[in-house]
Amino acid sequence: MNQLLSPKSTRGTATPPPLDGTLPDALRRELVAFRRDVHMHPELGHQEFRTTAAIKARLEEAGLRPRVLDSGTGLICDVHPRDADERDRDRPMLAFRADIDALPIPDTKTVPYRSTVPDRAHACGHDVHTTVVLGAGLVLADLARTGRLPHSVRLIFQPAEEMLPGGATDAIDSGALEGVGRVIAVHCDPRVDAGRIGLRPGPITSACDRLEVTLAGPGGHTARPHLTTDLVTAASRVVTDVPALLARRVDTRAGLAVTWGRIVSGHAPNVIPQRAELSGTVRCLDLPAWRAAPDVVHAVVDEVATLHQAKSEINYIRGVPPVVNETTTTELLRTAMSARHGAHTVETTEQSLGGEDFSWYLEHVPGAMARLGVRTPGDPVPRDLHQGDFDADEQAITVGVELFTAAALLEASRRGATR
């Protein structure tokens, strides 16, 4: 038996034995090196061939049988108990999900593991998510070899989380949720200290869709705007009036908001243009309101454009619904973290306006996402996701691995599984 993974003796004390599945020092060092290697070689969505190969090779080295997704990148892998029979394999599994893609921005940090790929960076922590799920899988595989894994677990490494509608749909289409009864994930949070997690039952992220609007008119001379459609004015009114009108058409508690990120129109100061283009995002805190959002937004844009005699063409691109944490799974994560590191390491987090395609899994099975603290305690420099200087305190890897392994063992115990 691997002594590094064995529970310590509790003879002579009423304290229950600690959970299996802590992270051995040698594997901890290996995982830090793995994370740094992935960080140095970031790959965009659906291009994660090197990352997929590295994960696959390490899982196979551990005696597991990963399967690459049908889309060509990303993979799924099951960890079964030793001598598992068909009845065990038919029980709904707990799944761990990681996303493996990077962002198209430059890495501006000065560290030995800085990105080696120009204008590509793991600035959202997906390298940490990947390493956490890999590490949890390796620890559970070790428990399985020694007969101490009571129930099967699935590892999901999905591509293209940063793309709409998200690589989660590729994983689901490839069968990632077949046989899964519950799914959990973590997301790096630079506002939370390493060694802690943030939890929230119910919605924890926002829905995020993309909105593209094209306005058209006959054009004309700026000396005679009354003879044509003043398209620049029409576009400016769409920019300001659409968000304002939505606040009166939808319950404000739903948090439905349009924010514009791009507006393009015209070429000369004395020419009224024939075309204007606007694009932005639609975010929503509430799942029912998100489902109704395309029709409401379309109607409001048309209304404002028509008022200014502009023809509108609307392209509403569905992104992701909000991540809605299921209560039982959220409590599983709370119990697992408390068992590993104490109840004081769990804090309540707020609902974010960011989008996350983990939500697509929750349209099929119950699950929850925890915010994984990655801020070095006492660090005075504020950092944020999707910024070139983003980095993670690597203590978070240990915390994430042990959170997942504890969740797997506690979930099996809750079901009454036997060792």
Side-chain angles (χ1 to χ4, degrees):
M1 181 178 289
N2 185 340
Q3 296 300 313
L4 288 171
L5 297 181
S6 300
K8 298 176 182 178
S9 172
T10 57
R11 185 177 301 172
T13 176
T15 303
L19 285 169
D20 274 333
T22 54
L23 186 60
D25 289 339
L27 182 54
R28 180 183 294 110
R29 291 190 294 271
E30 178 191 344
L31 292 176
V32 168
F34 185 91
R35 178 257 168 171
R36 293 185 175 189
D37 180 72
V38 172
H39 196 90
M40 292 173 66
H41 301 91
E43 298 171 299
L44 299 183
H46 297 305
Q47 301 174 25
E48 313 97 331
F49 296 103
R50 183 186 187 278
T51 305
T52 298
I55 300 166
K56 183 174 183 288
R58 185 61 184 91
L59 292 172
E60 289 176 338
E61 182 183 334
L64 300 173
R65 297 181 178 180
R67 175 174 68 84
V68 176
L69 302 183
D70 297 340
S71 57
T73 60
L75 62 157
I76 59 177
C77 182
D78 294 342
V79 185
H80 295 295
R82 187 179 66 184
D83 303 323
D85 57 21
E86 288 303 316
R87 187 177 68 174
D88 177 82
R89 290 173 184 262
D90 288 341
R91 292 174 181 170
M93 288 180 282
L94 176 66
F96 306 153
R97 174 271 197 171
D99 36 12
I100 66 175
D101 58 322
L103 286 161
I105 64 175
D107 190 343
T108 60
K109 300 186 301 297
T110 304
V111 293
Y113 50 88
R114 179 178 175 176
S115 172
T116 61
V117 184
D119 299 321
R120 302 287 186 270
H122 270 290
C124 199
H126 294 187
D127 54 332
V128 175
H129 307 165
T130 297
T131 305
V132 164
V133 173
L134 174 65
L138 295 176
V139 170
L140 294 179
D142 200 348
L143 293 180
R145 281 191 293 272
T146 54
R148 292 179 290 143
L149 178 66
H151 191 64
S152 297
V153 174
R154 174 162 296 165
L155 316 176
I156 303 172
F157 300 90
Q158 68 147 85
E161 190 277 332
E162 298 290 351
M163 303 176 70
L164 292 180
T169 56
D170 296 310
I172 294 168
D173 289 345
S174 292
L177 292 181
E178 292 176 6
V180 168
R182 193 177 303 278
V183 60
I184 60 176
V186 294
H187 197 295
C188 289
D189 192 335
R191 303 165 301 171
V192 178
D193 283 350
R196 302 175 67 86
I197 65 168
L199 286 176
R200 176 188 178 89
I204 192 172
T205 70
S206 167
C208 181
D209 297 335
R210 185 178 300 156
L211 177 62
E212 298 173 349
V213 177
T214 300
L215 301 179
H221 199 293
T222 57
R224 293 175 287 277
H226 59 289
L227 299 180
T228 186
T229 296
D230 187 348
L231 207 62
V232 172
T233 296
S236 69
R237 300 309 301 185
V238 168
V239 167
T240 58
D241 289 356
V242 166
L245 283 171
L246 285 172
R248 295 297 178 268
R249 303 291 172 85
V250 179
D251 189 330
T252 55
R253 291 171 295 183
L256 180 65
V258 170
T259 304
W260 304 102
R262 176 179 175 270
I263 177 169
V264 178
S265 186
H267 300 282
N270 61 342
V271 177
I272 294 175
Q274 296 178 321
R275 182 182 177 89
E277 297 177 358
L278 305 88
S279 58
T281 58
V282 182
R283 299 183 186 269
C284 187
L285 302 177
D286 179 73
L287 188 57
W290 173 76
R291 289 176 174 147
D295 290 341
V296 177
V297 171
H298 199 291
V300 170
V301 171
D302 275 344
E303 183 177 326
V304 175
T306 300
L307 180 64
H308 294 276
Q309 300 179 327
K311 295 180 179 179
S312 62
E313 181 180 323
I314 301 167
N315 185 21
Y316 194 107
I317 304 166
R318 269 303 198 194
V320 294
V323 172
V324 181
N325 282 349
E326 186 253 349
T327 301
T328 299
T329 312
T330 305
E331 288 308 306
L332 172 65
L333 289 168
R334 185 184 304 278
T335 303
M337 187 66 178
S338 298
R340 288 291 191 212
H341 300 287
H344 67 283
T345 62
V346 181
E347 60 184 62
T348 300
T349 191
E350 62 186 10
Q351 184 176 4
S352 165
L353 282 171
E356 233 291 350
D357 78 349
F358 181 68
S359 53
W360 289 123
Y361 299 99
L362 305 187
E363 294 282 293
H364 299 271
V365 298
M369 169 176 281
R371 300 201 183 283
L372 180 66
V374 296
R375 179 178 63 196
T376 299
D379 185 355
V381 180
R383 305 181 193 278
D384 201 0
L385 302 171
H386 290 215
Q387 301 294 321
D389 65 346
F390 172 80
D391 203 357
D393 186 317
E394 289 166 329
Q395 178 190 352
I397 296 172
T398 298
V399 173
V401 169
E402 295 186 346
L403 171 67
F404 277 5
T405 57
L409 297 174
L410 290 169
E411 168 74 353
S413 175
R414 186 184 67 82
R415 296 185 187 190
T418 57
R419 290 181 183 268

